Amino acid sequence: MSITELRLAELWTVTSHKEDNMEDRLKKQMEFMLEVDKSKFVRRQTYLSDGIRRENDAEHSWHLALMAALLSEHANESIDVARTMLMVLIHDIVEIDAGDTYAYDDAGHMDKREREVKAANRIFGLLPKDQAEKMMDLWEEFETFETPEAKFAHSLDCVQPLMLNDATDGKSWREHEIKRSQVMKRNAKTAQGSEKLMEYVNGILDKNVDKGNLKDE
């Protein structure tokens, strides 16, 4: 077993069975799994690569998890890949209740934290207590942006929609009349997770400004 696998196993080791017997634990775990299926119905603003429909949160999170596995060599610091994969898989679960807040919706971001904390407490609270606490801790780790894993996860979260916007000839950007300066603000911390991915971001932005998909402001 690799070090990464050991760390992931350690993360989810059951610390106590005093609260629940195994039958109760399984019931709570399956209730949680059914609840998070609702992520498939949370629509984002970014279009899929065919430009026909918008992606949903489940598709977005799956994409990030695969990116974490394959692009980890571009992280600025050594990361626990499995932990990062799990982090990006759960980072948007709160949107089941809180809804997707568009990256460039300033008004929506004013109460975003309040809405998402409330959602996290309810949704993760469906799990057995020990797993609920671990999920909440991992979600908060992503939010606080302090660990190498959280920084790289944020880089991926910013780069993935940019990649899809490029693939669809800036469809979502054009619909919302997005400016280059807005995308740069959104990617202000991308280099902290991966300088290499920030280079990729700059190249995509240059190309789409030249094509008129982004306003050069």
Side-chain angles (χ1 to χ4, degrees):
M1 183 178 291
S2 68
I3 293 176
T4 295
E5 289 169 334
L6 284 170
R7 287 176 179 171
L8 187 60
E10 183 179 276
L11 178 65
W12 293 107
T13 297
V14 176
T15 57
S16 173
H17 285 173
K18 292 180 181 179
E19 179 189 1
D20 309 300
N21 60 39
M22 291 306 290
E23 185 174 345
D24 288 338
R25 285 182 67 82
L26 179 59
K27 181 180 179 181
K28 290 180 178 181
Q29 289 163 339
M30 296 310 294
E31 286 176 350
F32 171 81
M33 294 309 303
L34 182 59
E35 183 67 12
V36 300
D37 184 72
K38 294 177 181 177
S39 292
K40 299 171 185 176
F41 304 105
V42 180
R43 292 292 179 188
R44 297 167 51 81
Q45 290 297 318
T46 309
Y47 285 90
L48 296 174
S49 56
D50 62 3
I52 296 175
R53 72 164 174 86
R54 292 181 174 89
E55 69 172 352
N56 62 51
D57 271 359
E59 292 166 333
H60 170 67
S61 296
W62 161 81
H63 214 174
L64 294 187
L66 190 56
M67 291 172 76
L70 298 179
L71 303 181
S72 60
E73 64 194 67
H74 303 300
N76 291 344
E77 303 174 72
S78 177
I79 63 169
D80 182 330
V81 176
R83 185 179 185 87
T84 308
M85 291 176 70
L86 184 56
M87 186 182 294
V88 296
L89 283 171
I90 70 166
H91 81 294
D92 275 344
I93 279 178
V94 295
E95 293 183 357
I96 291 170
D97 287 357
D100 174 55
T101 303
Y102 185 42
Y104 308 111
D105 178 6
D106 293 335
H109 279 268
M110 292 180 66
D111 65 345
K112 181 175 182 282
R113 172 69 180 175
E114 180 182 351
R115 288 183 285 112
E116 292 191 346
V117 169
K118 182 179 179 180
N121 285 326
R122 184 192 75 80
I123 298 168
F124 295 139
L126 297 173
L127 285 163
K129 184 178 179 180
D130 61 307
Q131 290 187 327
E133 290 175 350
K134 289 171 180 175
M135 279 284 216
M136 192 71 178
D137 287 347
L138 194 61
W139 181 75
E140 282 287 7
E141 181 180 337
F142 175 84
E143 292 293 307
T144 53
F145 192 80
E146 293 179 351
T147 65
E149 288 78 13
K151 291 176 182 179
F152 189 62
H154 270 277
S155 296
L156 299 177
D157 194 31
C158 291
V159 167
Q160 188 262 1
L162 183 140
M163 175 184 69
L164 290 179
N165 266 298
D166 181 53
T168 58
D169 202 27
K171 185 172 182 176
S172 180
W173 286 334
R174 287 185 280 106
E175 286 182 351
H176 294 278
E177 298 183 334
I178 299 300
K179 305 172 184 176
R180 180 184 184 132
S181 59
Q182 291 175 281
V183 184
M184 286 299 295
K185 182 179 179 181
R186 165 72 172 160
N187 282 271
K189 295 182 178 180
T190 296
Q192 293 185 41
S194 173
E195 293 180 1
K196 190 67 177 179
L197 287 181
M198 192 64 218
E199 292 177 12
Y200 171 83
V201 168
N202 288 327
I204 293 295
L205 296 186
D206 288 343
K207 181 173 75 170
N208 282 274
V209 166
D210 289 343
K211 294 173 71 174
N213 296 330
L214 279 170
K215 294 186 176 182
D216 192 14
E217 300 176 31

